[in-house]
Each structure stands twice: as structure tokens, then as C-alpha cells.
Amino acid sequence: MTTELERLTSTPKGKRLLEQERLILQVTECIVQLMQEQNVTRTELARRLGKSKGWISQLLAGETNFTLRTVADVFGALGHRPVVDIERDRSGTAPGVHAQEAQP
């Protein structure tokens, strides 16, 4: 019996979609972690970025297709810069995203 994940990753398109969703999840989890560490609310982050609270909610829910510029802006508003670790896909591991404190 084939699992849903096995079925999804059995095609190149399915593998690509899975990796996209995995990366979106990693980025949004990292943003949420920084917000929690700094006690920054969605309203405050929206204010810092000149966006609406609704836009922040969509971003954190993975409902918006954010660009690398957007990711850099959000991390910057939290005093950090994004760092992406790229790994060759040999064992099913995914690229990693983490924050690094911004330096002047």
C-alpha cells in the first residue's frame, strides 16, 4: 500500500511541490520563533513593515507567495537576516533556513 507522501514524491512535480512547501514551512517557523523570542505581535510586525495585520497572518500561514525580498524584509524588521543552507538531496534532507542577528 502506497502512502500519500510516497505517491506525491513519485513524480518530479510532486517532489518539487513538497520541497516548496517544506521551505515555506521552515521560513515561517523561523519568523514565528523570532517573533516569540522578541515578544513581537503580528500587529507590531505589520507596523514595522508598513503592511496590514492580515497580510502578516497570510504570510505566517503560508498563504502568500513571498519573494526573497519579502523574506529579507521580514527578517530585517526582526533584527536578523535569513541564512539558507543548501544541501544535495541524497537522503531526503531538505534545505535549512535559520536567522542570523543582523550586523551593522
Side-chain angles (χ1 to χ4, degrees):
M1 183 171 198
T2 304
T3 67
E4 186 66 23
L5 180 60
E6 290 170 334
R7 187 186 62 72
L8 176 65
T9 58
S10 67
T11 67
K13 181 179 179 182
K15 287 178 185 177
R16 190 177 78 241
L17 291 173
L18 178 64
E19 290 306 319
Q20 290 171 4
E21 293 302 318
R22 191 177 291 179
L23 185 57
I24 289 167
L25 181 62
Q26 288 176 341
V27 169
T28 55
E29 284 181 340
C30 194
I31 292 168
V32 168
Q33 180 181 352
L34 289 173
M35 290 173 66
Q36 289 173 345
E37 289 172 1
Q38 298 175 27
N39 294 317
V40 172
T41 64
R42 292 175 186 214
T43 301
E44 173 58 20
L45 183 57
R47 186 195 64 74
R48 292 180 187 184
L49 292 167
K51 301 284 187 180
S52 71
K53 181 181 173 187
W55 184 87
I56 298 297
S57 294
Q58 288 178 335
L59 176 83
L60 296 178
E63 295 173 3
T64 184
N65 188 11
F66 47 83
T67 66
L68 294 175
R69 285 181 177 85
T70 301
V71 172
D73 288 347
V74 173
F75 277 76
L78 294 167
H80 287 71
R81 64 183 183 89
V83 177
V84 179
D85 296 321
I86 305 297
E87 299 173 349
R88 183 173 300 277
D89 185 17
R90 293 182 196 259
S91 63
T93 58
V97 177
H98 65 275
Q100 185 172 54
E101 194 165 349
Q103 301 295 319

